[in-house]
Amino acid sequence: MTFTIPIDNGDSVKNAEADSQRTLYPYVTGTSIVAIKYKDGVLMASDMGGSYGSTLRYKNIERMKAIGKHSLLGASGEISDFQEILRYLDELVLNDNMWDDGNSLGPKEVHNYLTRVMYNRRNKFNPLWNTLVLGGVKKGESYLGMVSMIGVSFEDNHVATGFGNHLARPILRDEWHADLSFEEGVKLLEKCMRVLLYRDRSAINKLQIAKITEEGVTVSQPYSLKTFWEFQAFHNPTAGAQGSW
Amino acid sequence: MFRNQYDTDVTTWSPTGRLFQVEYAMEAVKQGSAAVGLRSRSHVVLASVNKAQSELSSHQRKIFKVDDHIGVAIAGLTADGRVLSRYMRSESINHSFTYESPLPVGRLVVRLADKAQVCTQRSWKRPYGVGLLVGGLDESGAHLYYNCPSGNYFEYEAFAIGSRSQAAKTYLERRFESFKESSREDLIKDAILAIRETLQGETLKSSLCTVSVLGVDEPFHFLDQESIQKVIDTFEKVAEEEEDGGEAQAEADAPVEQGGAGDQDVAPMEM
């Protein structure tokens, strides 16, 4: 893979070629992921939409996948880059299994590996256009972390990507506490996803919730949230803003 | 082993299916000064004999820290040992950087063995002339491995390599069944006692041996001379009380043994 930092030498053909070798903009994108630690492990929610710009084009995209025995990866951003990352991780997990020696990659190791990959790609000006959420449980310890497309990486008790950072995190900051039960956790995530559904134009009403515990990963069947559109403010939405401005 | 027409090249088989150069490399390990390793469920102790070239020089370092959770003791060509230790440190730190978690010792040992094997199958290389006792931790606890110049590796409860290691091995064979549940202190004591066996009558002093420990909650480190001497004192005293007259006799005999034939034949590069 060759790339040149575009210099103005009038050779636009060469630059165009070089540019086509690296990611400049995302095309098919997934929206927010929201995840929280709870009593038995980690809960993660995402919708199943893949937007093509402003078109809600794909409605059956699974944006959360199990990695090895101990981890769950959720991604927002460019779907094809997410698939590429899954290929890298597939190879990683395969090699880890081939050792067959009682050692296995835990969520911390996977998270750090991903951080290295994302940061290295960013340094080459060819990022994987995703924000990744990595959750897992190993030997009773829960782990939840995030990596952005520029390689910013951290762990927390609750994380969200994209719009989720602005709409869901404030709810979680107020209402998350340690040792949530499974039901409490799901209710909390649904509350966040409902707000996102109302306010994020790239969200669709078809979501999955995944849970990871010491036993392993389960991803729920897709389902929809109940919404309410009879709020007074929706009856005459332009009441406060008549006229052209 | 006699000189024969199949031993010039490492890539030449003998008619009986042996690679003599590899076997000669294993001989080099036997000439180096002794190193022992033992492990319990949670700790590994590596100990070695410090033999200096002459009274004027310092002794060569034979035990190296590879990472907080892995240590290696060598016997044979120390230069080869140093190079391999550097390789191990590099592998370990690269893994830590990528995964932020310690490299399982079993995986390091396999990479080391594969590296040694390459040298047994290239006509322009020679086998490494050093045996390595690798002690370290992984998810299932503490492990001790022995890496051979042939590219083989084995896991052990306890092992000794180098000159006069057979005496140490005999001692360890008698006691190894208790090592798994041993306390850290008992493990250290057994390591020093095993070293003493290789000295064959020479008085055991803390200046003569190096001892290192690593464990599940204890990063790899060397024991200082004081601590080693304290352990030696606990059993030397007992020995003195038991064999009053005998000890005096042994001390008189020791100086004769020290200048023994074995040491004078040791090539300068092998310690």
Side-chain angles (χ1 to χ4, degrees):
Chain A
M1 179 209 76
T2 55
F3 77 97
T4 51
I5 300 173
I7 348 161
D8 189 16
N9 54 7
D11 202 342
S12 58
V13 174
K14 213 174 174 181
N15 283 341
E17 253 177 52
D19 280 355
S20 73
Q21 304 264 13
R22 55 195 187 94
T23 307
L24 293 172
Y25 343 90
Y27 286 93
V28 179
T29 55
T31 183
S32 325
I33 303 261
V34 188
I36 55 173
K37 280 193 195 171
Y38 80 110
K39 186 165 57 94
D40 303 323
V42 171
L43 283 168
M44 202 183 289
S46 85
D47 71 14
M48 298 195 75
S51 307
Y52 186 61
S54 52
T55 311
L56 301 174
R57 184 156 171 195
Y58 302 103
K59 312 229 177 139
N60 203 23
I61 308 237
E62 276 202 38
R63 297 193 289 116
M64 299 183 293
K65 291 282 181 181
I67 310 290
K69 285 184 286 231
H70 306 283
S71 313
L72 173 65
L73 176 66
S76 67
E78 174 63 56
I79 299 296
S80 63
D81 283 349
F82 175 50
Q83 291 170 345
E84 180 83 345
I85 289 170
L86 289 177
R87 267 195 291 277
Y88 285 149
L89 289 176
D90 211 26
E91 203 180 314
L92 191 72
V93 170
L94 181 71
N95 285 323
D96 191 45
N97 288 340
M98 286 209 301
W99 281 103
D100 197 21
D101 64 351
N103 293 300
S104 55
L105 288 170
K108 181 155 101 121
E109 286 82 13
V110 178
H111 184 217
N112 277 289
Y113 172 78
L114 288 171
T115 307
R116 290 292 116 234
V117 170
M118 301 299 272
Y119 184 63
N120 271 296
R121 290 289 297 253
R122 163 262 198 203
N123 285 341
K124 296 194 251 193
F125 283 90
N126 187 15
L128 288 159
W129 209 286
N130 296 108
T131 308
L132 304 169
V133 174
L134 201 296
V137 190
K138 192 169 173 200
K139 294 223 178 83
E141 281 197 44
S142 307
Y143 186 92
L144 181 58
M146 208 173 97
V147 195
S148 79
M149 69 186 249
I150 55 172
V152 175
S153 148
F154 57 89
E155 286 172 60
D156 208 339
N157 291 321
H158 47 82
V159 298
T161 71
F163 262 93
N165 267 313
H166 301 106
L167 299 173
R169 293 298 294 285
I171 302 177
L172 294 171
R173 280 183 209 120
D174 272 344
E175 300 188 23
W176 183 90
H177 58 84
D179 295 320
L180 287 161
S181 73
F182 176 72
E183 290 75 25
E184 287 174 321
V186 172
K187 251 180 84 180
L188 188 53
L189 282 180
E190 282 182 353
K191 185 168 180 180
C192 296
M193 295 304 279
R194 185 171 288 109
V195 173
L196 287 166
L197 181 59
Y198 282 132
R199 295 294 177 174
D200 179 5
R201 69 107 184 252
S202 30
I204 62 169
N205 196 2
K206 186 177 175 194
L207 69 144
Q208 289 179 304
I209 296 210
K211 105 170 138 81
I212 178 161
T213 63
E214 193 77 52
E215 279 82 54
V217 176
T218 29
V219 185
S220 73
Q221 288 294 7
Y223 66 103
S224 303
L225 293 171
K226 276 212 184 56
T227 55
F228 180 70
W229 295 99
E230 298 316 309
F231 287 111
Q232 202 51 39
F234 295 159
H235 278 167
N236 192 8
T238 57
Q242 298 289 353
S244 44
W245 298 109
Chain B
M1 251 178 269
F2 318 102
R3 271 234 83 200
N4 54 56
Q5 51 183 204
Y6 306 109
D7 69 356
T8 323
D9 232 295
V10 73
T11 51
T12 305
W13 288 98
S14 82
T16 54
R18 295 160 73 169
L19 289 169
F20 281 108
Q21 279 295 309
V22 176
E23 294 181 27
Y24 296 164
M26 280 147 73
E27 275 300 306
V29 178
K30 295 184 199 161
Q31 301 297 336
S33 61
V36 319
L38 317 74
R39 63 101 184 234
S40 70
R41 219 178 273 285
S42 57
H43 287 81
V44 183
V45 177
L46 296 171
S48 71
V49 173
N50 302 341
K51 273 286 156 66
Q53 282 269 70
S54 70
E55 276 184 31
L56 294 170
S57 72
S58 65
H59 64 87
Q60 284 192 321
R61 265 205 321 149
K62 288 163 52 76
I63 306 185
F64 300 94
K65 171 174 167 175
V66 169
D67 204 336
D68 283 335
H69 68 294
I70 303 181
V72 61
I74 62 170
L77 268 59
T78 24
D80 284 3
R82 249 188 358 258
V83 161
L84 288 177
S85 301
R86 188 165 59 230
Y87 169 73
M88 292 165 76
R89 285 171 176 167
S90 179
E91 292 294 292
S92 195
I93 209 169
N94 283 338
H95 184 100
S96 281
F97 174 70
T98 310
Y99 301 102
E100 267 223 31
S101 122
L103 173 62
V105 64
R107 300 190 180 187
L108 176 61
V109 159
V110 173
R111 289 188 217 174
L112 197 54
D114 288 345
K115 194 168 156 72
Q117 190 279 339
V118 169
C119 298
T120 67
Q121 211 174 7
R122 306 279 185 273
S123 60
W124 62 90
K125 286 182 180 257
R126 63 156 178 85
Y128 287 106
V130 64
L132 304 110
L133 278 173
V134 184
L137 303 173
D138 69 13
E139 275 179 42
S140 45
H143 298 269
L144 175 70
Y145 294 90
Y146 171 55
N147 277 72
C148 203
S150 60
N152 281 327
Y153 68 97
F154 309 92
E155 185 168 1
Y156 285 96
E157 296 289 326
F159 201 49
I161 55 176
S163 74
R164 293 190 286 219
S165 57
Q166 190 48 55
K169 270 188 262 189
T170 316
Y171 172 81
L172 294 170
E173 271 167 30
R174 272 188 277 131
R175 314 248 338 205
F176 78 92
E177 264 147 352
S178 66
F179 290 161
K180 202 142 203 148
E181 307 301 328
S182 244
S183 72
R184 176 187 175 277
E185 285 63 38
D186 282 340
L187 213 62
I188 294 174
K189 199 163 91 163
D190 276 317
I192 299 177
L193 281 168
I195 288 285
R196 187 175 72 156
E197 297 297 311
T198 69
L199 295 171
Q200 307 249 339
E202 216 179 307
T203 349
L204 178 62
K205 288 183 292 218
S206 65
S207 57
L208 274 180
C209 52
T210 310
V211 183
S212 67
V213 192
L214 68 93
V216 168
D217 290 313
E218 195 182 342
F220 178 93
H221 65 282
F222 291 97
L223 295 181
D224 57 59
Q225 295 295 328
E226 264 184 60
S227 321
I228 302 177
Q229 192 58 50
K230 270 204 206 101
V231 179
I232 294 176
D233 289 337
T234 54
F235 52 79
E236 285 293 327
K237 275 212 175 61
V238 175
E240 267 179 32
E241 286 163 15
E242 285 179 4
E243 315 172 18
D244 229 56
E247 270 286 292
Q249 275 270 292
E251 293 234 30
D253 290 334
V256 178
E257 267 209 51
Q258 267 172 3
D263 287 358
Q264 281 168 359
D265 284 348
V266 173
M269 57 187 176
E270 304 159 354
M271 285 300 267

